[in-house]
């Protein structure tokens, strides 16, 4: 039996949670508190979401995860010192595992260019490139 694909109208339900403006504003205003590695991973998800090769079902998931990331009020509020982005890290890591086959070198380069703009060139040396399989394994081990 063929699986029913989500319609474009289904994607619209997530627009209030994720917006281009909100995404870039959060990165610009909170990059330092979010951290270079999480920002890089979120950027990879963003570029996969914008890709023509991303299936509709994955777009729904990525839109939801990025919407969750944008929301200051979630399971652990982002304003909570030290642990505020812990829940976001888990959600982003799981989404990365799902999106791994759609991440291209061009997307990695684009994400690294934004990292340079937000953090400076010196942060590229400290940036841990995303090893999706290792990330997914580490998350699964913690459940």
């Amino acid at each position: 039996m063929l699986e029913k694909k989500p319609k474009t109208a289904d994607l619209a339900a997530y627009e209030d949670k994720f917006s281009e403006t909100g995404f870039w504003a959060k990165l610009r205003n909170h990059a330092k508190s979010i951290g270079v590695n999480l920002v890089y991973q979120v950027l990879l998800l963003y570029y996969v979401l914008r890709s023509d090769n991303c299936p509709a079902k994955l777009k729904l998931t990525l839109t939801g995860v990025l919407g969750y990331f944008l929301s200051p009020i979630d399971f652990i509020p982002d304003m909570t010192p030290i642990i505020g982005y812990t829940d976001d890290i888990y959600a982003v890591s799981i989404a990365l595992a799902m999106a791994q086959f759609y991440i291209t070198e061009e997307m990695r380069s684009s994400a690294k260019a934004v990292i340079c703009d937000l953090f400076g060139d010196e942060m590229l040396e400290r940036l841990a490139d995303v090893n999706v399989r290792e990330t997914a394994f580490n998350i699964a081990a913690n459940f």
Side-chain angles (χ1 to χ4, degrees):
M1 176 176 252
L2 291 176
E3 192 172 289
K4 183 179 173 186
K5 290 186 177 183
K7 297 177 185 170
T8 307
D10 295 337
L11 298 174
Y14 292 89
E15 286 179 350
D16 64 332
K17 294 176 182 64
F18 173 75
S19 72
E20 295 280 331
T21 307
F23 176 77
W24 291 108
K26 181 154 187 174
L27 288 186
R28 275 192 307 280
N29 297 330
H30 301 283
K32 302 251 188 284
S33 64
I34 296 168
V36 67
N37 286 310
L38 182 56
V39 169
Y40 178 66
Q41 292 172 1
V42 165
L43 285 165
L44 289 176
L45 293 180
Y46 171 79
Y47 290 123
V48 170
L49 174 66
R50 294 293 169 232
S51 168
D52 291 335
N53 296 327
C54 183
K57 239 183 186 179
L58 182 57
K59 281 186 186 266
L60 281 171
T61 300
L62 297 182
T63 303
V65 168
L66 291 173
Y68 186 83
F69 170 76
L70 290 177
S71 175
I73 300 171
D74 46 32
F75 187 68
I76 300 174
D78 295 341
M79 289 109 15
T80 306
I82 302 173
I83 62 168
Y85 287 100
T86 305
D87 56 329
D88 298 271
I89 291 168
Y90 278 106
V92 167
S93 298
I94 291 168
L96 273 172
M98 295 172 69
Q100 67 181 322
F101 298 111
Y102 301 97
I103 298 171
T104 65
E105 284 306 313
E106 182 180 344
M107 291 173 189
R108 290 180 192 277
S109 295
S110 296
K112 287 177 182 177
V114 174
I115 292 296
C116 287
D117 288 343
L118 292 173
F119 293 96
D121 294 341
E122 66 279 356
M123 289 306 285
L124 281 182
E125 297 171 14
R126 299 172 70 194
L127 180 65
D129 202 13
V130 176
N131 182 333
V132 175
R133 292 170 200 229
E134 183 178 306
T135 300
F137 177 77
N138 288 337
I139 289 173
N142 287 321
F143 278 107

